[in-house]
Amino acid sequence: QQLIEDGIDVLPMVNQIEVHPLYQPKETIDFCRKHGIVVEAYSPLGGGSASNAARASEGELDGTRLLLRHPSVQKVSEETGKTTAQVLLRWALQQDFMVIPRSSKPARIQENFDIFDFELREEQMRSISELAEAGQKFCWDPKGVS
């Protein structure tokens, strides 16, 4: 919104923001969709042990671990026969987010590609989306940038 108020001529095509089931900044996502801006889900698996929140909490707030072990995500994983990471990435795709998961392990990179042969049902999507009620952000906070 600030860019529009400042009189920008061309809006960005992509907005890379932290998005995962535990943190879904609705206002920003809605704005991007309204203006045709693609949302790239930064840390779609929750940020991991290297995230700011995990480091500040001595590993307690490892978003990836929290998401991969969450009972709702595990239930959908069992129902689909897919890993919890695949379920989370598929959830993001079905939300129309662009996802670029990070991994240095060839097996996980391949696993991350294997998300195009299934879809989550509406109730599965809803059960994962409801995790946002926690509102847990794990990565850096752009509000501190001036």
Side-chain angles (χ1 to χ4, degrees):
Q1 184 65 38
Q2 186 65 47
L3 293 173
I4 292 173
E5 290 172 8
D6 289 345
I8 191 168
D9 292 324
V10 179
L11 285 172
M13 297 302 295
V14 177
N15 191 5
Q16 184 184 55
I17 57 175
E18 181 177 354
V19 178
H20 45 74
L22 292 171
Y23 183 73
Q24 301 166 47
K26 184 175 174 15
E27 185 177 316
T28 301
I29 292 167
D30 290 346
F31 177 86
C32 289
R33 287 181 174 154
K34 177 181 175 187
H35 295 283
I37 301 169
V38 174
V39 173
E40 180 180 342
Y42 179 81
S43 294
L45 300 178
S49 59
S51 71
N52 291 349
R55 287 189 303 229
S57 66
E58 297 180 6
E60 184 87 12
L61 291 176
D62 177 332
T64 301
R65 188 179 67 233
L66 291 170
L67 278 169
L68 296 180
R69 294 180 181 173
H70 195 285
S72 295
V73 178
Q74 288 184 339
K75 180 176 186 255
V76 174
S77 172
E78 291 169 12
E79 292 171 353
T80 60
K82 295 293 187 172
T83 67
T84 50
Q86 288 171 319
V87 165
L88 292 168
L89 294 173
R90 186 68 214 181
W91 171 86
L93 283 180
Q94 286 183 229
Q95 294 281 357
D96 292 326
F97 301 139
M98 177 173 51
V99 293
I100 305 175
R102 179 181 73 92
S103 182
S104 60
K105 296 178 172 48
R108 285 205 182 128
I109 293 170
Q110 181 59 50
E111 178 184 307
N112 292 342
F113 279 118
D114 292 333
I115 60 171
F116 299 101
D117 61 346
F118 75 106
E119 286 191 8
L120 301 177
R121 295 186 316 269
E122 186 177 325
E123 65 271 11
Q124 293 169 324
M125 289 291 291
R126 188 171 36 257
S127 73
I128 294 170
S129 294
E130 288 172 353
L131 301 181
E133 293 174 8
Q136 180 60 57
K137 187 169 178 44
F138 298 103
C139 301
W140 70 284
D141 188 351
K143 292 178 182 162
V145 178
S146 54

